[in-house]
Amino acid sequence: MKFDVLTLFPEMFEPIKHSIIERASKKDLIDISLINIRDFSKDKHKHVDDTPYGGGAGMLLRPDVVYDAYSSVKKDNSKVIYLSPKGKPLNQSLARNLAKEEHLILLCGHYEGIDQRVLDEIVDEEISIGDYVLTGGELPAMVLIDTVSRYVDGVLSEDSTLEESFSEGHENLLEYPSYTRPVKFRGKTVPEVLISGNHKEIENWRKEQSLIMTYKKRPELLNEKQKAEAEKLLKK
Ligand code: 4GM
């Protein structure tokens, strides 16, 4: 998977060159390039923005500058994503589908905004990472790269891939609680079933815990049948 990030702040992406993303890059599973929009400025002072027609506060990124940055990386198989609070909410299912793309171009705007004509011309999908406003699209772009990369073949360990296939059918459920040594900590012991060695019972307990946990913390993620099942488990 190739990511090309169009941004005025390429240095903000230093942190994602590490951890899981770093391993994936070394294995050539993903490739992230940072394109500085300022390199496509039309004047010697490297200006990229101008005042809005019709007046008002602030500045806007010029369409020609953004378009030239885009043209420098665009291929036949590119999908352009604009990170914005007005976008479609990012979730696990959208991330998994984006991982099927060959080339993602991520356009990062900032408080200034971007001329609407270039957005209409080049953007395929507008995506939001949540209902809050940030100073720029850079953090949302990093969040998207991280979650999409997890679904690129070979990025996750064999183990996590197996875990995922378990969660596949339980995608709207939160993860069950986990425990390690010591068996007793501050008076609290590890649930008996987990030390039982009965794999069928352990699997069943984990499914029930996922359901109960989701019911308590995020009931809106459950359908009616799952809610009834959770209520039944809590009564018994
Ligand atoms: C407004 C328009 C994305 C603000 C375009 C970007 C939050 C998100 C920005 C923009 C952002 C989000 C920059 N803030 N919720 N700020 O995904 O690029």
Side-chain angles (χ1 to χ4, degrees):
M1 161 80 71
K2 171 88 176 125
F3 295 97
D4 276 308
V5 186
L6 311 181
T7 172
L8 282 170
F9 302 100
E11 65 283 1
M12 275 190 74
F13 290 79
E14 276 312 305
I16 64 158
K17 290 180 178 163
H18 305 291
S19 87
I20 194 164
I21 300 299
E22 180 172 39
R23 283 198 299 279
S25 305
K26 284 205 176 111
K27 286 201 260 174
D28 281 336
L29 300 171
I30 64 166
D31 179 14
I32 306 168
S33 296
L34 303 171
I35 294 91
N36 191 337
I37 296 172
R38 199 169 296 282
D39 292 344
F40 297 85
S41 160
K42 309 294 159 211
D43 63 83
K44 64 170 190 277
H45 301 291
K46 296 270 173 204
H47 289 131
V48 291
D49 49 11
D50 211 327
T51 53
Y53 280 113
M59 302 281 273
L60 289 172
L61 283 183
R62 286 168 52 118
D64 50 352
V65 174
V66 172
Y67 190 81
D68 288 353
Y70 153 81
S71 297
S72 76
V73 294
K74 189 233 179 312
K75 298 188 284 180
D76 290 336
N77 60 359
S78 307
K79 176 167 218 160
V80 178
I81 295 172
Y82 178 46
L83 289 313
S84 129
K86 291 182 201 157
K88 182 198 287 186
L90 178 62
N91 60 28
Q92 214 62 76
S93 141
L94 180 52
R96 194 182 314 100
N97 284 326
L98 288 173
K100 296 172 189 161
E101 299 289 333
E102 290 176 71
H103 183 209
L104 295 180
I105 299 175
L106 307 182
L107 174 58
C108 304
H110 51 142
Y111 50 92
E112 298 191 323
I114 301 179
D115 182 286
Q116 188 61 39
R117 292 166 296 177
V118 71
L119 295 177
D120 292 344
E121 186 80 18
I122 71 172
V123 174
D124 296 305
E125 199 150 14
E126 193 168 347
I127 294 178
S128 165
I129 65 160
D131 289 336
Y132 39 81
V133 178
L134 301 164
T135 53
E138 283 78 13
L139 286 167
M142 285 185 258
V143 166
L144 187 142
I145 289 170
D146 190 291
T147 188
V148 169
S149 296
R150 293 179 68 254
Y151 287 104
V152 172
D153 272 349
V155 170
L156 289 186
S157 72
E158 191 93 323
D159 270 15
S160 339
T161 320
L162 282 173
E163 284 280 302
E164 291 280 323
S165 69
F166 163 75
S167 77
E168 202 93 309
H170 309 269
E171 192 126 74
N172 63 336
L173 296 187
L174 302 181
E175 194 76 2
Y176 52 77
S178 307
Y179 303 85
T180 186
R181 275 182 281 276
V183 74
K184 193 164 184 188
F185 170 70
R186 294 178 68 85
K188 293 179 167 78
T189 53
V190 173
E192 236 0 272
V193 60
L194 298 179
I195 345 181
S196 71
N198 186 330
H199 298 292
K200 199 83 219 138
E201 268 189 45
I202 291 171
E203 191 189 336
N204 188 54
W205 181 85
R206 284 178 169 166
K207 275 183 187 159
E208 289 181 359
Q209 290 302 309
S210 276
L211 198 55
I212 290 168
M213 186 135 301
T214 312
Y215 181 83
K216 286 183 178 165
K217 296 191 181 202
R218 299 286 306 277
E220 77 279 11
L221 295 177
L222 300 178
N223 61 40
E224 291 310 314
K225 189 166 165 253
Q226 288 174 313
K227 262 186 228 165
E229 207 180 321
E231 279 159 12
K232 210 172 95 190
L233 287 170
L234 284 166
K235 269 184 226 139
K236 84 174 183 196

